[in-house]
Amino acid sequence: MDNNIKYVMYGAEEIERKVKEIARQISHDYQGKEVLLVCVLKGSIIFTADLLRYISVPVKMDTIAVSSYGNATESSGVVRLLKDLDEAIKDVHVLIVEDIIDSGLTLEYLINMLKQRQPASVKVCALLDKRERRKNNIIADYTGFIIPNEFVIGYGMDYNEDYRQLPYIGVLKPEVYQ
Ligand code: PRP
Ligand code: 7HP
């Protein structure tokens, strides 16, 4: 294992079990409907790709990119749209897919923006929830794991663009970024 990793928080098999469980809930809740997964680039790519394959109702996907991080580990609080959705979402059931919710500012911005486009519904699915860091009252409709306030990497999540390819979710040693 990489020397900069303090410990493995969730292994690949545990993640897979959780993703399947979330996909089952989504497939149950959206019975008779089509759902659009909105992958929030770049961290959610792997989670979205895995989730998509386990959902049994009709599903489409689109991508959106925002920037909020001032430095590598602290949100600046100012969210900026970098890439919009490719398609309109009027009357569409939108499910925003996030790898992690931290301050909640990214999601607050995205939910407000997407709701203005008259979708049929907007819900949120997040693999990880660092709830104690929240600066608003955003809660996902589907949550994988509630995690403590540690900086995590892997399964799509990065530190300075590294570690996204790890098959597990690990905790970065604080001395790496402090
Ligand atoms: C991460 C994560 C969320 C956001 C959560 O993205 O994927 O989108 O931060 O933080 P918040 O709740 O404090 O707003 P990041 O900005 O690191 O970009 P990336 O997905 O491209 O790595
Ligand atoms: C964003 C983010 N990206 C990777 N790991 C974390 O712990 C994070 N919190 N917020």
Side-chain angles (χ1 to χ4, degrees):
M1 193 170 57
D2 190 301
N3 256 344
N4 291 336
I5 292 166
K6 194 163 123 190
Y7 68 95
V8 174
M9 191 178 261
Y10 301 108
E13 287 178 10
E14 199 172 353
I15 297 170
E16 189 183 1
R17 273 198 300 275
K18 185 59 80 175
V19 175
K20 283 183 177 169
E21 185 188 315
I22 298 171
R24 262 197 307 275
Q25 288 170 17
I26 292 170
S27 304
H28 172 267
D29 294 352
Y30 286 86
Q31 214 45 251
K33 297 172 185 158
E34 181 178 276
V35 59
L36 175 75
L37 300 191
V38 170
C39 171
V40 185
L41 298 172
K42 305 176 222 170
S44 291
I45 285 184
I46 294 175
F47 178 40
T48 307
D50 283 348
L51 192 64
L52 191 69
R53 284 177 283 183
Y54 295 125
I55 291 177
S56 57
V57 293
V59 61
K60 290 195 166 82
M61 75 160 282
D62 203 339
T63 61
I64 200 162
V66 291
S67 119
S68 67
Y69 271 68
N71 62 40
T73 61
E74 270 301 316
S75 172
S76 66
V78 181
V79 184
R80 222 161 32 95
L81 184 66
L82 299 180
K83 181 218 164 274
D84 205 341
L85 297 174
D86 294 332
E87 304 288 339
I89 53 165
K90 188 170 184 315
D91 301 327
V92 169
H93 291 286
V94 171
L95 182 59
I96 302 172
V97 182
E98 269 287 25
D99 48 350
I100 186 163
I101 314 179
D102 191 303
S103 67
L105 296 172
T106 302
L107 271 173
E108 187 175 4
Y109 171 90
L110 282 176
I111 292 167
N112 288 338
M113 186 182 80
L114 297 181
K115 277 192 171 163
Q116 288 171 17
R117 302 179 185 184
Q118 298 171 276
S121 63
V122 178
K123 289 189 176 182
V124 174
C125 172
L127 182 61
L128 303 181
D129 182 351
K130 230 192 253 185
R131 207 161 275 187
E132 67 193 78
R133 296 255 303 170
R134 203 72 95 256
K135 293 186 177 160
N136 53 27
N137 56 8
I138 299 280
I139 295 202
D141 300 276
Y142 304 93
T143 302
F145 304 102
I146 295 172
I147 64 163
N149 184 14
E150 296 195 276
F151 197 82
V152 289
I153 38 86
Y155 197 67
M157 288 169 287
D158 74 309
Y159 169 67
N160 274 343
E161 298 298 326
D162 287 325
Y163 303 109
R164 292 193 199 274
Q165 84 274 29
L166 297 179
Y168 57 86
I169 294 170
V171 173
L172 202 59
K173 287 181 182 164
E175 55 265 34
V176 177
Y177 54 86
Q178 273 167 357

